[in-house]
Amino acid sequence: MIKHTEINANPSAEKARVARLGKYTESTAPHIDQNTKYRLKKVAANALRYAKPVLVSDECGHLKPLINDNGETETFLYEARVCSCGKVPVYGSDGSVDISQNPDTGSMKYSNLTVCGNIWTCPVCYSTVAYKRKNELLHAMRENRKRGGSCLFWTQTIPHTKYDSLLHSLKVLSDSSTKLKAMGAFRKMLAKFGYTGSVMALEITYGHVNGWHPHRHNVLFFDRPLSDEEIADLNHRLKCYWMNKVKAVFGVEPSYDRGSDLKKASYNDEAVSSYMCKWADELVETGIKKARNGSLTYTDLLRMIDEKYDIKLVHLVREFESSVTGRARIYWSRGLKDMFNIVEITDEEIAHAPERKHVATITFAEYLTLVRANFEGEILNIFQKMGAKCALNIIQNLHLQEIQQKRQDIIQKREFYRTLEVAAARHLEELDIPLPSVGR
């Protein structure tokens, strides 16, 4: 049963309560620093390459570490997908690497490389995928408005403490939402308001006080505009339904004010779509988005590790990766994409596809030179600011310098081994030992 409480009938108070999402959603998309993405990608790859214990099932079916005869835990080298992202060319290609640019944002990327397409842990891939997902959501919201519909913004969260693991909190959040959507009374209630579908975005932050904080942002689509009174009524019903389901799953009831919140989109559709995909805008050169109350995003953790290595932060990154593997970051309700004629495309396909404007082509050997010099991100910034001719000259010079350096290293090694050979020969002559005949 839904608990009924008195709804505030004061229009001004209701308008104040149905507030805007905040300053961040109103700002324009800032310039994305390419070097930041690739630098943080390497930080993530280093953190997510580690020795992991081998797990086996016991008699009760529970997993436990495998202990060898010496009493030590057996381990294997685990490498997340981000560790191999952009390391080898695409199978069947000629080995060249294309550089392309998005004319709308100015962002540049490499193509003809195998990429992970992981929108959770790879800063390079999820910045590319997020732009596509944001445009899909923006198209759906605009089309819905043209058809006379409306959209509302619904946030769901659960109680949590610093002692709760991220995997456990995600399971509680997922199970509560699944059971809520399975309720016939809940679906009938939404249908009375003209509900047609929703888009869910999962966001995760970490706070030193309360630990992991997973929560869901939802854009609810309706086939007609809703009055302020209807929004207030729907908000109250959603709060009560959500509180009851979380308590049934978790045993602890979220607060009425914080567990669930429904807001009216009183601003443009682009601001809402940007807020839903704001995890892409964490990699900006200026105005970097910070979570509220001192909480940290995944990108913040990588940036802190890059500034000063901390094993505790590394363990948080590893827990994050192991908990979100296989989970969708943005989920559309069934049939909603077909309603707005949006073609289904996977994250991996988006990450592999080149941008619309081709800029230049380099060899794979030249690309590896950039990777070894930690310059693959900065060279994209040079392409943007100084043009293709200047950037290509820099790439060729770096590659020639690397070749010359390798040649010098080979010559020095040969001289070193030749010196050792002469010294050994003199030593053997002093000992009156004949030199062995070695075929050359």
Side-chain angles (χ1 to χ4, degrees):
M1 296 293 293
I2 298 179
K3 303 175 185 177
H4 292 281
T5 59
E6 183 180 357
I7 299 175
N8 192 345
N10 186 351
S12 60
E14 180 60 28
K15 288 181 181 179
R17 189 190 60 77
V18 183
R20 296 168 75 101
L21 290 179
K23 256 182 172 175
Y24 175 77
T25 61
E26 301 170 10
S27 61
T28 57
H31 168 69
I32 297 177
D33 181 27
Q34 307 290 339
N35 192 39
T36 300
K37 294 192 297 185
Y38 284 91
R39 189 179 72 253
L40 295 184
K41 173 185 172 182
K42 291 189 176 182
V43 174
N46 292 333
L48 297 176
R49 183 186 294 108
Y50 59 100
K52 211 171 186 179
V54 178
L55 301 179
V56 294
S57 299
D58 58 11
E59 297 176 353
C60 300
H62 301 297
L63 294 177
K64 64 177 184 179
L66 176 63
I67 307 299
N68 58 23
D69 296 337
N70 297 328
E72 300 174 346
T73 302
E74 288 286 348
T75 60
F76 67 98
L77 180 61
Y78 173 78
E79 291 186 349
R81 291 169 59 190
V82 66
C83 299
S84 59
C85 183
K87 294 295 183 66
V88 296
V90 174
Y91 178 76
S93 66
D94 58 359
S96 61
V97 178
D98 292 331
I99 300 174
S100 56
Q101 185 178 30
N102 187 327
D104 299 331
T105 63
S107 177
M108 307 188 71
K109 63 179 291 189
Y110 299 99
S111 53
N112 283 348
L113 296 170
T114 56
V115 294
C116 64
N118 193 318
I119 60 173
W120 283 109
T121 58
C122 181
V124 174
C125 289
Y126 72 54
S127 63
T128 303
V129 174
Y131 178 77
K132 174 69 174 177
R133 298 307 185 201
K134 181 179 117 175
N135 286 339
E136 289 177 348
L137 180 57
L138 181 60
H139 169 75
M141 296 180 69
R142 286 176 174 172
E143 283 296 316
N144 187 59
R145 182 162 296 182
K146 288 179 182 178
R147 299 176 187 181
S150 61
C151 295
L152 296 178
F153 191 82
W154 182 33
T155 303
Q156 301 166 274
T157 186
I158 58 171
H160 58 91
T161 66
K162 63 180 180 180
Y163 304 106
D164 296 324
S165 67
L166 177 57
L167 187 63
H168 175 263
S169 297
L170 285 173
K171 188 176 186 307
V172 172
L173 183 65
S174 177
D175 291 350
S176 301
S177 181
T178 301
K179 291 189 176 183
L180 179 61
K181 293 178 181 178
M183 288 182 61
F186 178 76
R187 296 198 300 268
K188 289 180 181 179
M189 182 271 295
L190 287 177
K192 291 180 180 179
F193 291 91
Y195 171 79
T196 56
S198 65
V199 179
M200 183 277 296
L202 178 60
E203 185 182 4
I204 301 172
T205 59
Y206 179 82
H208 295 292
V209 177
N210 294 320
W212 292 108
H213 174 49
H215 50 286
R216 290 187 170 195
H217 298 302
N218 305 269
V219 174
L220 307 182
F221 290 79
F222 299 88
D223 59 8
R224 62 180 177 85
L226 300 182
S227 64
D228 290 344
E229 291 74 16
E230 287 179 313
I231 295 175
D233 182 28
L234 178 60
N235 185 30
H236 168 67
R237 291 174 179 271
L238 290 176
K239 284 177 179 290
C240 295
Y241 271 119
W242 181 246
M243 290 167 61
N244 292 337
K245 280 303 164 188
V246 173
K247 185 177 182 180
V249 173
F250 190 36
V252 179
E253 187 178 72
S255 66
Y256 182 85
D257 294 329
R258 297 184 179 182
S260 169
D261 189 26
L262 186 69
K263 295 182 179 181
K264 183 178 179 181
S266 58
Y267 37 86
N268 59 49
D269 297 334
E270 187 170 0
V272 179
S273 61
S274 297
Y275 190 82
M276 290 286 286
C277 300
K278 62 185 176 181
W279 32 274
D281 295 331
E282 296 169 8
L283 296 171
V284 295
E285 188 173 21
T286 58
I288 295 172
K289 180 259 178 186
K290 295 288 184 180
R292 295 181 300 174
N293 301 326
S295 298
L296 302 172
T297 63
Y298 171 76
T299 308
D300 292 330
L301 294 175
L302 294 181
R303 188 177 291 108
M304 293 172 66
I305 295 173
D306 185 37
E307 294 173 355
K308 183 180 179 181
Y309 185 84
D310 188 342
I311 190 61
K312 293 182 180 179
L313 298 178
V314 172
H315 285 310
L316 290 177
V317 169
R318 292 173 181 173
E319 181 183 2
F320 178 90
E321 186 270 340
S322 62
S323 301
V324 300
T325 299
R327 296 182 184 270
R329 193 156 195 174
I330 290 187
Y331 175 79
W332 293 63
S333 59
R334 185 179 302 175
L336 190 62
K337 283 191 174 183
D338 294 336
M339 184 185 301
F340 298 110
N341 299 319
I342 298 176
V343 179
E344 186 68 39
I345 182 172
T346 64
D347 296 335
E348 289 78 6
E349 291 173 338
I350 297 174
H352 274 98
E355 301 292 357
R356 297 197 301 272
K357 180 182 177 182
H358 179 267
V359 177
T361 300
I362 60 177
T363 65
F364 185 68
E366 291 174 335
Y367 172 75
L368 290 180
T369 298
L370 297 175
V371 173
R372 285 189 284 264
N374 295 325
F375 206 66
E376 71 269 38
E378 187 59 37
I379 199 65
L380 295 182
N381 289 333
I382 296 175
F383 268 105
Q384 286 179 298
K385 298 175 183 178
M386 305 180 67
K389 185 176 181 180
C390 177
L392 289 174
N393 287 334
I394 294 175
I395 293 174
Q396 293 173 0
N397 289 334
L398 283 175
H399 187 54
L400 290 175
Q401 290 177 10
E402 186 182 54
I403 293 176
Q404 293 174 357
Q405 184 64 41
K406 286 183 177 179
R407 289 176 178 173
Q408 291 178 2
D409 292 342
I410 292 174
I411 293 173
Q412 290 177 358
K413 287 181 180 179
R414 287 177 177 174
E415 292 178 352
F416 175 73
Y417 289 131
R418 195 171 294 132
T419 303
L420 289 180
E421 185 179 359
V422 172
R426 289 178 179 175
H427 183 66
L428 292 175
E429 289 178 358
E430 293 175 358
L431 297 176
D432 196 19
I433 299 176
L435 290 174
S437 58
V438 180
R440 296 183 180 273

